[in-house]
Amino acid sequence: MEYTVQKLGSLAGVSTRTLRYYDEIGILKPARINSSGYRIYGQKEVDRLQQILFYRELGVSLDRIKEIVTSPSFDGAAALREHREKLLEKKEQLELLIANVDKTIALTEGRMEMSDKEKFEGFKKKMIDENEEKYGKEIRQKYGDDTVDKSNAKLQNMTQAQHDEVTALAEQITVTLAEAFKTGDPADELAQKAAELHKQWLCYYWNEYSKEAHAGLAQVYVDDERFTAYYDKEQPGTAAFLKDAIHIYTGMKR
Amino acid sequence: MEYTVQKLGSLAGVSTRTLRYYDEIGILKPARINSSGYRIYGQKEVDRLQQILFYRELGVSLDRIKEIVTSPSFDGAAALREHREKLLEKKEQLELLIANVDKTIALTEGRMEMSDKEKFEGFKKKMIDENEEKYGKEIRQKYGDDTVDKSNAKLQNMTQAQHDEVTALAEQITVTLAEAFKTGDPADELAQKAAELHKQWLCYYWNEYSKEAHAGLAQVYVDDERFTAYYDKEQPGTAAFLKDAIHIYTGMKR
DNA sequence: GATACACCTTTACGCAGCGTCAATGTCAAC
DNA sequence: GTTGACATTGACGCTGCGTAAAGGTGTATC
């Protein structure tokens, strides 16, 4: 299959200008130039463009990308695995930031206090991490454990922040559920709110939410005595009540 | 508390140049200018800078940020919640990309086939989303369901890719577990590999992994008949065997 | 008072990664 | 031969600063 600039551009979702620029900086040369000077791309170029876009997405500079894709000893699979690693790191970064946002929201809604210094912790940490990413290997060889410690501290902070949110949510569920239980009706507005909160709580642990899984878990709450004990702690029958509420909420009767 | 450019800069982790630039474009003016022309920032400016950095982190242009923070009818909490939403979207984006990478890795390691079009799906989807983000409200008002449909299609695709991986992993667990069961020893290398695979599988669903939770789930496999049935399908006793393997793997005896 | 030094100021150019003209050539269809 | 969708090169513009130049200020030390 052969492509002109526009064909390849629309295939890959980039502009023709971008393709010409990539040609200009020598990162993606067309397979050949036809008699009228048109750029003609082939299969190899499609694959290469894909790789380029992968790395670009990561925020890797075109210069670095050039090094990567023009290297003759280029191990595609290894590069992709590395690529994957970085994406995961970026995801962690994001989660850290989200935690920071949550904290700030909590602040504006009263309660917590945050010193000026604390306010910028998230950003500073980020910068530290970026430095580590750049100079990581050297630093690690030189200072070893210190770096590892920092990384661990970050992780602890993250899970701490997340843990705080989850705990607050769990508390809210308990309260709402106790209120709802008094009505005795799992279809009642309050019980449905508890189910909704429970869904939110669940979403902290599950990447994918499905009604089936939610309903399934509710069943486990009744079937598994450890869960049952937790929910029935204050008021026996609460676990079963929650199960009913969730089954109604999800529309699953099983 | 009052700050000069450098004080504020080091507090916030930005350069003095950045602060001067923010002054220049009118996004963050100092509280006052002292007799020598020095920029002096106060508490209000610290808070504002924090907001600016939040939005900057998101990739929002300084122009947009200016609109947001200079708006007199500025609801901080609402803005933060919106901010949070976008971060979550970005995280989804990332997960979509990771799925795309995984797919490509699987491709290079043989098996799967991927058409040229498919290769760029991730990127195209991303662009569509970006357009939606920009013009979302207008489009939604004009075309309503169409946009919603697109969004849903994206989600389906994402879970599809992830689902493929998870299915492959689950298959691998089944096979390994069946082999391991023959040895009859849950501490055996093969059984421990099955536990390891099970952990990986679990990590597709859980954001946080803990040994306690893993061991707890293993117990549920034995306690809950639906799970037991699934694992004992080919060979009764497999669920209990997996539980033992995981309890050894996690070092939890309970 | 001189000198050093860390801080501040404005002005101005440079960079990536393209978008966006402008001016012009080419191909297929009518 | 004209129209219209494609292609070409060349050049300038944009963001969000980094960085260097050329200079003023504040405090300490000699």
Side-chain angles (χ1 to χ4, degrees), chain A residues 3 11 13 47 57 81 84 91 95 97 102 109 116 119 126-127 204-207 220 226, chain B residues 3 13 47 57 81 84 91 95 97 102 109 116 119 124 126-127 204-207 220 226:
Chain A
Y3 306 91
L11 178 69
D47 292 344
E57 194 55 30
R81 270 187 289 273
R84 199 190 119 100
K91 194 177 138 190
E95 278 161 0
L97 257 167
D102 286 343
E109 283 170 359
D116 284 1
K119 282 184 185 171
K126 197 200 152 215
M127 293 183 58
Y204 275 92
Y205 298 105
W206 289 1
N207 283 333
V220 175
R226 286 164 307 147
Chain B
Y3 306 92
D47 292 344
E57 195 55 32
R81 270 188 289 275
R84 200 190 120 101
K91 195 178 139 191
E95 278 160 1
L97 258 166
D102 286 344
E109 283 170 359
D116 283 1
K119 282 183 187 172
K124 282 189 171 174
K126 197 201 152 216
M127 294 184 57
Y204 275 92
Y205 299 105
W206 290 1
N207 283 333
V220 174
R226 286 165 306 147

Side-chain angles (χ1 to χ4, degrees), chain A residues 3-242:
Chain A
Y3 306 91
T4 60
V5 269
Q6 200 151 71
K7 294 260 182 66
L8 180 58
S10 63
L11 178 69
V14 300
S15 72
T16 61
R17 175 71 178 92
T18 299
L19 291 178
R20 287 196 306 99
Y21 182 64
Y22 287 175
D23 183 5
E24 188 185 329
I25 64 173
I27 198 174
L28 180 71
K29 296 271 184 199
R32 60 188 181 84
I33 307 281
N34 78 2
S35 58
S36 330
Y38 286 21
R39 292 172 178 82
I40 308 292
Y41 299 89
Q43 186 55 47
K44 260 170 47 189
E45 286 72 30
V46 171
D47 292 344
R48 184 153 174 169
L49 179 54
Q50 192 198 10
Q51 286 210 335
I52 292 170
L53 294 183
F54 264 136
Y55 283 99
R56 186 182 71 166
E57 194 55 30
L58 244 182
V60 175
S61 73
L62 294 186
D63 241 43
R64 270 287 288 146
I65 295 178
K66 189 174 176 179
E67 284 175 31
I68 295 172
V69 299
T70 63
S71 163
S73 64
F74 178 67
D75 181 353
L80 277 179
R81 270 187 289 273
E82 195 185 325
H83 180 50
R84 199 190 119 100
E85 284 297 305
K86 291 199 179 176
L87 283 177
L88 289 176
E89 268 178 43
K90 218 176 167 183
K91 194 177 138 190
E92 267 188 54
Q93 259 318 330
L94 254 178
E95 278 161 0
L96 180 62
L97 257 167
I98 291 171
N100 203 350
V101 173
D102 286 343
K103 209 168 167 184
T104 311
I105 289 175
L107 173 78
T108 60
E109 283 170 359
R111 253 177 275 288
M112 270 189 216
E113 266 304 311
M114 223 170 154
S115 76
D116 284 1
K117 272 178 204 158
E118 237 184 304
K119 282 184 185 171
F120 293 105
E121 289 276 283
F123 299 116
K124 281 191 174 172
K125 270 200 189 42
K126 197 200 152 215
M127 293 183 58
I128 291 167
D129 286 354
E130 276 171 0
N131 284 337
E132 279 203 30
E133 204 167 300
K134 272 186 197 157
Y135 312 110
K137 281 172 193 164
E138 292 92 319
I139 290 177
R140 231 161 278 157
Q141 282 172 351
K142 280 185 194 156
Y143 307 108
D145 291 342
D146 191 16
T147 311
V148 175
D149 287 347
K150 251 189 264 170
S151 171
N152 287 349
K154 188 198 89 185
L155 243 148
Q156 276 178 1
N157 269 315
M158 195 189 72
T159 56
Q160 181 59 47
Q162 285 192 336
H163 184 259
D164 288 351
E165 300 158 32
V166 171
T167 308
L169 201 49
E171 172 65 16
Q172 213 182 332
I173 292 170
T174 307
V175 173
T176 311
L177 196 57
E179 276 305 308
F181 187 78
K182 290 179 192 165
T183 72
D185 177 12
D188 183 77
E189 199 180 340
L190 214 52
Q192 289 304 298
K193 193 189 163 193
E196 161 72 22
L197 286 172
H198 185 261
K199 172 187 170 179
Q200 284 176 29
W201 176 80
L202 203 53
C203 286
Y204 275 92
Y205 298 105
W206 289 1
N207 283 333
E208 280 175 340
Y209 171 84
S210 78
K211 289 178 176 184
E212 290 76 10
H214 192 185
L217 186 70
Q219 187 63 47
V220 175
Y221 281 1
V222 175
D223 295 342
D224 189 292
E225 57 181 3
R226 286 164 307 147
F227 290 115
T228 314
Y230 174 75
Y231 281 102
D232 283 1
K233 196 171 44 187
E234 300 294 331
Q235 181 66 47
T238 306
F241 182 79
L242 176 59

